[in-house]
Amino acid sequence: MIASLGTHGGFIVASYALGFVVVAGLVLRAIVEHRVQTKRLAALEERGMRRRSEPGR
Amino acid sequence: MLRYANPANFLAVARIGIPITGFVSGVLFAVGLWMVFTVAPADYQQGETVKIMYVHVPAAWLGMASYSLMALSAVGTLVWRHPLADVSAKALAPLGAAFTFLCLVTGSLWGKPMWGTWWVWDARLTSVLVLFLMYCGIMALWNAFEDPARAGRAVAIMTLVGFINIPIVKFSVDWWNTLHQPASVARLDGPTIHPSMLWPLLIMAGAFTALLLTLHMMGMRNEILRRRVRTLGLMAAQVGEAAE
């Protein structure tokens, strides 16, 4: 496949591979961070902590 | 817009918006990559190496767009004390840094076979490197403060001062003699790229933009949760102290 991209195929593949790694990294980071913060928030709420602005308080 | 200034309202909007923009981004990436590797022709001078453009150029646009959005958020923080403005700015900084990094490295990978060098200190390349370093400085400043509100104001001032670099990046190829080529898409007299290359480029740019919107909403949602965790953590610490 790289050969079909001409003499500089390696540069093209490296560019797209890096693009994939950066995009996948950003998406994964956002998903993992959301899970971590949601768990922390749930743990605090389980201990009875509620924000003043929260309804029902 | 102001209706959604409330973080709770924003979270409701993000719950719907994230899957929609994520789906749009995925579809545009599929179409764009298909066009790049099957429809778009090789350049008469650069050959297939021109395919790097379809990653490099959208990454460059998003690097600058993220900073411009951060500057708008900074105005929101300093002038209106908008409750979501610094949340928005904080979520954008790592995204802008990542896209600027991608732009720099793919530019280097494009430059080596075409110019014969990985890097030159010309005005365009140097100003984009400065943009990347500014993102790094802004992320460091966010982490230097314990209180996110104080950090938000300091970062907003730094962001607005650094905004001077955005027109320098954009017009560097017109103001100075650079090895980097002049603008060929965003020009007053219209694009100079053939439509067979312009369309895949615009679709890839659309895919990257939808991705930025998705990641921005995800980042803002995470920052709102992080601040809630911080507030409740402080309350829990106070309750613990009072009980002792």
Side-chain angles (χ1 to χ4, degrees), chain B residues 166-239:
Chain B
I166 294 298
I168 294 176
V169 172
K170 166 73 184 137
F171 296 110
S172 53
V173 286
D174 303 319
W175 293 342
W176 292 283
N177 191 12
T178 57
L179 185 56
H180 192 285
Q181 66 170 64
S184 46
V185 179
R187 295 164 55 101
L188 288 175
D189 54 350
T192 54
I193 301 183
H194 191 269
S196 60
M197 290 179 176
L198 183 62
W199 277 110
L201 177 61
L202 293 179
I203 290 169
M204 286 296 282
F208 271 99
T209 306
L211 176 72
L212 177 72
L213 279 174
T214 312
L215 290 170
H216 188 206
M217 281 192 280
M218 290 171 91
M220 283 180 73
R221 180 179 66 179
N222 289 345
E223 181 59 22
I224 290 168
L225 292 179
R226 199 177 295 121
R227 289 182 186 198
R228 283 185 179 175
V229 167
R230 181 178 182 272
T231 305
L232 294 189
L234 289 172
M235 282 169 65
Q238 280 173 353
V239 169

Side-chain angles (χ1 to χ4, degrees), chain B residues 5 17 32 34 36 39 43 47 52 77 119 124 134-135 156 165 178 188 191 244:
Chain B
W34 174 77
V36 167
V39 179
D43 183 74
I52 296 174
T77 298
W119 183 264
R124 171 56 72 84
M134 272 165 28
Y135 275 124
N165 190 44
T178 57
L188 288 175
E244 277 172 18

Side-chain angles (χ1 to χ4, degrees), chain A residues 5 8 11-12 15-16 18-19 23 26-27 29-31 33-34 37-38 40-41 44 47 49-51, chain B residues 33 36 48-49 51-52 54-55 94 102 105 109 113 118 211 221-222 225-226 228-229 232 235-236:
Chain A
L5 292 172
H8 304 302
F11 293 95
I12 301 167
S15 296
Y16 280 83
L18 180 73
V23 168
L26 288 172
V27 172
R29 173 181 164 273
I31 291 170
E33 181 68 15
H34 184 246
Q37 297 303 335
T38 307
R40 281 184 186 163
L41 195 59
L44 283 162
R47 286 167 59 189
M49 297 297 134
R50 290 280 185 281
R51 288 173 308 125
Chain B
L33 287 171
V36 167
E48 296 288 353
T49 316
K51 293 201 188 308
I52 296 174
Y54 304 104
V55 176
L102 182 60
V105 179
L109 286 164
W118 297 101
L211 176 72
R221 180 179 66 179
N222 289 345
L225 292 179
R226 199 177 295 121
R228 283 185 179 175
V229 167
L232 294 189
M235 282 169 65

Side-chain angles (χ1 to χ4, degrees), chain B residues 1 10 15 21 25 39 63 81 93 103 105 110 138 140 158 164 167 173 184 190 206 224 227:
Chain B
M1 277 293 277
F10 172 80
R15 203 170 299 127
T21 53
S25 174
V39 179
R81 306 233 166 161
C103 162
V105 179
W110 198 4
I138 283 168
M158 188 176 168
I164 187 74
V173 286
S184 46
I224 290 168
R227 289 182 186 198

Side-chain angles (χ1 to χ4, degrees), chain B residues 78-196:
Chain B
L78 294 175
V79 178
W80 295 290
R81 306 233 166 161
H82 194 297
L84 288 176
D86 56 341
V87 170
S88 161
K90 191 174 181 185
L92 278 165
L95 304 178
F99 287 119
T100 307
F101 172 77
L102 182 60
C103 162
L104 282 168
V105 179
T106 53
S108 202
L109 286 164
W110 198 4
K112 180 62 182 168
M114 292 301 104
W115 299 337
T117 179
W118 297 101
W119 183 264
V120 282
W121 292 100
D122 85 353
R124 171 56 72 84
L125 276 68
T126 307
S127 56
V128 175
L129 180 63
V130 168
L131 178 64
F132 177 68
L133 295 176
M134 272 165 28
Y135 275 124
C136 294
I138 283 168
M139 286 192 291
L141 195 55
W142 272 116
N143 293 322
F145 287 83
E146 182 66 29
D147 178 12
R150 279 185 62 206
R153 284 191 289 278
V155 168
I157 293 165
M158 188 176 168
T159 303
L160 288 177
V161 171
F163 186 68
I164 187 74
N165 190 44
I166 294 298
I168 294 176
V169 172
K170 166 73 184 137
F171 296 110
S172 53
V173 286
D174 303 319
W175 293 342
W176 292 283
N177 191 12
T178 57
L179 185 56
H180 192 285
Q181 66 170 64
S184 46
V185 179
R187 295 164 55 101
L188 288 175
D189 54 350
T192 54
I193 301 183
H194 191 269
S196 60

